[in-house]
Structures are given as C-alpha cells and as structure tokens.
Amino acid sequence: MSKSVLPPKGGLHLPITRRSLLQATAILSGAGILSVHGVPVFASEVFDDIKGQWESAKMDWKRQSGATIVLNGVQHPWMDAITPLVPHFTKLTGIEVKVQTQSESEYIASLPVKLGAKSATPDVYMVWALGQAVTAGWLEPLGPMFADPKLTDLAWWDVDDLFPSTRAYQTWADGNQYVVSVTAEAQTLFANKTMLDEKGLALPKTMDELLATAKALKTDDIAGIAMRAKSGDGATWPAGGFVFSYGGAIIGLDGKVAVDQPEAVAAIDMYGKLLREAGPIGSGNYHWMECLNDFMAGAVAMSSDSSNFATDIGNKDKSAVAGQAIYGGMPTAAGKPAKPNIYNWTIGMNPNAANKDAAFLFLLWATSKPTAAMAAAAGLATQRTSAWKTSAFGERFGKQAVSAVLENLNAADADLMKATWFHAKGPQILDAFGIGVNEVVTGAKDAQSAMTAAAEKMRAAIG
Amino acid sequence: MRSSAARSRNRFILLMLAPATVLLAGLTLIPFVVSVGFSLTNYSLTAPNDIAFIGLGNYLALFSSSEFWNAAWITVLFTVVAVGLQLVLGVGIAALLHHETRAVSALRLIYLLPMAITPVAAVFTFRMMFNPTLGVFNYILKTMGLPAQDWLGSPTMALVSLILVDSWQWTPFILLIAAGGLAALDEEPLEAARMDGAGPMAIFFQHTLPMLFPYLAVAIVFRSIDAFKTFDIIFVLTNGGPGVATRTLNLLAYKQGIEFLSMGYAAAIAIVMLIVTIVASQLFLRRVDLFKPKAAL
C-alpha cells in the first residue's frame, strides 16, 4: 500500500488486557444479541472458550501440526494485536509461527527484495502495494483454497460478516482473491465538539459548510482544519476521498487517467482552499501524525482522516481532547453522494512458501470471527462487522465514532479506490497526485495546472 | 632455500590479505559491477523475468528528464551551502576553542555531541520541533513577539531548514578536524607575523587559514561526499517536498528503486551520483595539491 494511507502506527499501541479479553470472549460466547446491547457475559475459562469457537470449524486444524511458518509485517496496530494471540494458534494447530516485525521504511525496502528473489519466507505477509504485488506474482491466489471444503469451513469463516467494501476490496480485477483483509478504515470527519458548541456550529454536512465552519473555527491559536498535504504520497489518501465525493476519480474505472477532469480539479481546489484559508501554518508538510497530534492537543478543530484515529483521540492518557470529539460522515459536494476513501490492511501468502497449507491455516485463523473479536477488544478496527458490534470494541473506539465510521464504510466505493491504489503503477500515480495536491495546498500552483501536470506524469508512467 | 622462504612469505601475505579482499569484493566490487549491469537493463522487481539489455537507455531517459536536472540542482545547492556553512562555523568555533582552558574542553565535548546521536532519532526530534503549531521553534518566536514560520512548508524555508539540521549534526566534524589541524600547526610563522605587528584577524586569515587548508580540504571532501548523498534528514522532514523542492538525487533514486521498483533506472541514478562524486572530488583534490609533498616552511 501507499505510505500515505498507513493507519496510525506509533501512537496506536493496542495492548490486549485481561479485561478486554474477558469482555470479548464473553461477548462472543454470549452471542450477537447480547453483544449488540452491550451486556457483558464473563466466561470463567477464557482461552478454552475461545479455543472452542475456533475448534467449532468443520476442518482439521491439526493437519499441518509440526510445521513452522514466518509472518512478516510492519509496526502496526494489527501486528500489535495479533502477536500476543499467536501462541493460541500454535496451541490450536501445532504450527509454530515466527513473527517478524519491521519499521515501515525497513519493510518496504526489504520485502520486495525477498519476494523478488523468490525466497520461501515470509510465508504470510502484510501486503504493502497490492497492485505491484499481484503484477509481480508475489501473491498466491487464495480463491481455490477458500473454495475447497477440505481446507476451509466457509460457513464458519462467514464471508457475509465482512463489510461489503471489504469483500470488494479483496477481489482483484481478474476475479480472484489474493489477500484477506485484517482491518477496515474509512475516511471520517472528526471535530472538537466543545469548539463547535462555543461558536454555535454543527458538524458540517456539505463541502461548502465544511469550508465555512473551518474558517469560523480558525483563530490565531487554533486551526479550523488540518488534513494531510505532505508531498509525494503523503497527501493522497484523504485528498482521494475528496475527489471521489466530487464525482471524480484519479484513475477512472476504465483505467484512464481522470485526475485532470473538472470534478477532480474542483475537489482539489476545495482541498487546497480549506487548508490555505483555515488550516494550520505549514499544512504543506502535514502527514497523518501531525494531523492527529494537533487534533489531540486541541490545536486543530477538525480533520478528515482515518477512522483509526478514534482510538487515540478517545484515550485520556494520550489526548487532551478525549471525550470532546464528534465524528461524522464525509461531507457531500453539490448534491453528489459522499464517497469517503477507505483502506484495508491485508495479508497474503507468498507463492513460494514451503508449506502453503500451514500458511493458509494461519490466514483463516487470523481473519476468523473469534480472532477479529479478540483484536477488536484491544481497539483494533477490524474487517468484520461482528467485531464492530461488540461492546468491548464500542468502549475502546467510542460508540458515536463506531456509528459514524460504519456510515462511512458503507458509503465508500471500493472500486474507485482500487482503480488507483491497486494499479500496477500505483506508487508512481500516487506520487504524481501527492505532489500536485501539495502544490495546490502551498499555493505554488492552481488546481487545474497542478492536476494537469500530475495527469501528464501519470500517463507517462502508465505508458 | 631463499625462494622457498619468499614463497612462504608471499603465501602468508596473501592469506592475511584474503579476508579484506573477500570483504571488499563481496561488499563493494561485486555490488558495483552488478549495479552497473542493472543500469544497462530495464530491470524491474515487478517483472524480473522480462529483464532486457537496453544499453544506455536509462541514462538517456535520465538526462532528458527535467525531474533529474531539478534533483541534481537541489543536490548541488544543498551540498555547497551546507558544507560552506559548516566550514565557516566549524573553523570559527575551532579557532575560538583553540586556547585550552577547562571550560573549553567541556565545551568541545558538548559541541561534538550531535555527531554521536543516531541521525534518524535526531531528525524525528527536529520534525517535532519544526511543527508549526506545536513545535518549540515557533513557540520561541512567538514568545519573542515574532511571527511563526512555516519551517518545512515553503520551498525556500524547507531547504534552509534541511541545511540547518545537517549543519547542526555535522559542523562538529569540521570542528574536530579543524581543531586537530590548529593543534598541529607550526607556531613559528604565526609568532613571526605577530612580531611584525599583524593583528589577530590578519594572522588568522593570512597565515593560520592557509596553513590549515590541507586539513580542511580533507574535511571538505568527506563532508561534500556525505552531504551529496544525504537521505535520512530529507526523507523524514520533507519527503522531497513541498512539491519537489527538496527532492535530491538520492531521494529520486529511492523513489525509483524502492517505491517504484524500477531497479535499472534507480541503478543508473546511483551510478551517475557515483561518477559525479568521484570526478568532483578528484578535481578538487588535484586543485589543492593535497597529496603533493610540501617543501618545509
């Protein structure tokens, strides 16, 4: 994936506590209705209960007992959440898992070299740039394995429990499935409600309202809005959501460059206007970290970024505005439907893995309902609707945030996002787009000329 | 007998040299030859089986790309200004600290600290300090009644900020070499100038600095090579922005190689950088006659 859409890493450590574990387990054992209504039901033997839910799958978990696989991932909340659960996978299957976690820059530099050299490890890895990986043949097609009843209890794994956007996200252009999602995040508007109330303002519903509200909230000490605008691929993810919501595309569904079309230009014009007129000084160098930190410090009144931020914003130990944030849907533009950007972190299998069945068992287990609920109890925004409905997740993430993010996840158009982010030349396309957005935000170029220049670079890259 | 001893001695020498030779070949020579080879191909990690020899195609594409010339200009500008600033500061501080006292030895230790800090850790700290809203630099400016600055958001300020961070980290290197040079200088010519009535500034600029130059030349070469391939500071602080205002050759090579996986094109950029470095340093060293034995003063 592009770096720009990375969910927060450093600030989002989500330790699984005994309390959260108990809650998740209880909710799972208490069935959906109880968890939806937030009634805690505590189990006495936590891990035995969870084990029972994994074991209820009609498949042989022990069929690769004694095998060893390597899981490689970046420093990310999903790795933080899954790593403590890995011993239970080993207990369940008899498969040893060696976990290798790397920093983002280390990961993107080393993984292509390993995969390009046809190394047998890692067996399972977090997929960085899906388009590149599929084009290069670095991912094993998973469709046949999911379709084989000897390998998968598909009813137990429950594909319908995934968000519709997640199901679309996992499906490649050729109809095959190369990855499985492990998180689901949507571009979400969040604002400091105290600041809104002080000025008698409401959460904006349209882009024009967003601009007016941001300008009204801006003071000498507080910025009205902060969004990513760092050059390169830094600005791309939230700016992409603006383009989609204006009815435009970066790369159209026909595969052609569309970023210089009127809808996309209007969107980037608004994006630049928002940050120039109501953003903090230095917006042109803001990445997600600056947006999140400024908001949590009370230095920014609004932002439009990853839903994953909700966990940190609501954490009193980290955030000066915990309890003050309000979350909303993506503002609409000229009556067009809002199409916030989405991102799913995914995991896939190395086609040169020595024991593909063992790797597949890990994929199934790591993305199953019980495992997702356990990760959600630690605050991870997973790909499963059932996990989002648990009271443990609601408490960690915030109930109002859950409601708003679900609205955004359901409104998102995965195909538009995939046309750009999953393109074989995705990194080149996003680099050109990010430079253009940055130039508009800093006032170096107007939206039309910046997007025209970006489009030329994209066409040259695509060939 | 003698020939057997000579053979034994030669074998011993070869044996002793073997580890270093193997390391040199493994870590430097072979990667260099492979890089040159890659630079003549269309090698991409996303299509490793479609590799084809394209001659100088990558170099021609590079030299006809405005992106390359823009990056080359920024790289040269960054190198010249950063090393120039560090030279002035390093030599100045070294001259001030030349007379040994207890305070000076403590100060020298403090001045050397930036070099001992892990670059990435220091740069991330700078990233927070440069934050326009929450950073300490703008806080200080505001308490002094001055307007907050967009340290990394405008093309000029971004380059200036990068040069300041690089200078904070590497001025001590020049300081160290200049201080060593000053300590080794022959005092007699300086004493003679003093007796002839020359003032401290005249002595420094007309006598000390020329005598110090061979030491500084070494520092300039080392620092220029290092500054020319600076990566971590730029990557963390601006990622080449705003726009492409701080996208240097090294950053361009990173983008092409690591993000776009166009290894052939990235290798061509790296080879061009290597050639520029070698040629520039050789021209400089020849001009200053650094390795020519000097007649006794």
Side-chain angles (χ1 to χ4, degrees), chain A residues 19-20 22-28 31-42 373 376-377 386-399 402:
Chain A
R19 181 180 163 76
S20 60
L22 281 165
Q23 285 177 331
T25 310
I27 287 150
L28 281 166
I33 294 171
L34 286 179
S35 63
V36 169
H37 293 283
V39 179
V41 183
F42 291 93
S386 58
W388 280 71
K389 289 173 184 168
T390 60
S391 60
F393 179 66
E395 276 177 28
R396 288 296 297 263
F397 203 72
K399 288 187 173 115
V402 168

Side-chain angles (χ1 to χ4, degrees), chain A residues 50 70 169 190 206 237 274 288 291 315 327 347 356 368 382 392:
Chain A
I50 289 289
V70 174
Y169 199 97
F190 45 95
T206 67
W237 193 68
L274 277 163
W288 65 261
C291 297
N315 185 339
Y327 301 84
I347 54 175
K356 289 181 186 172
S368 67
T382 75

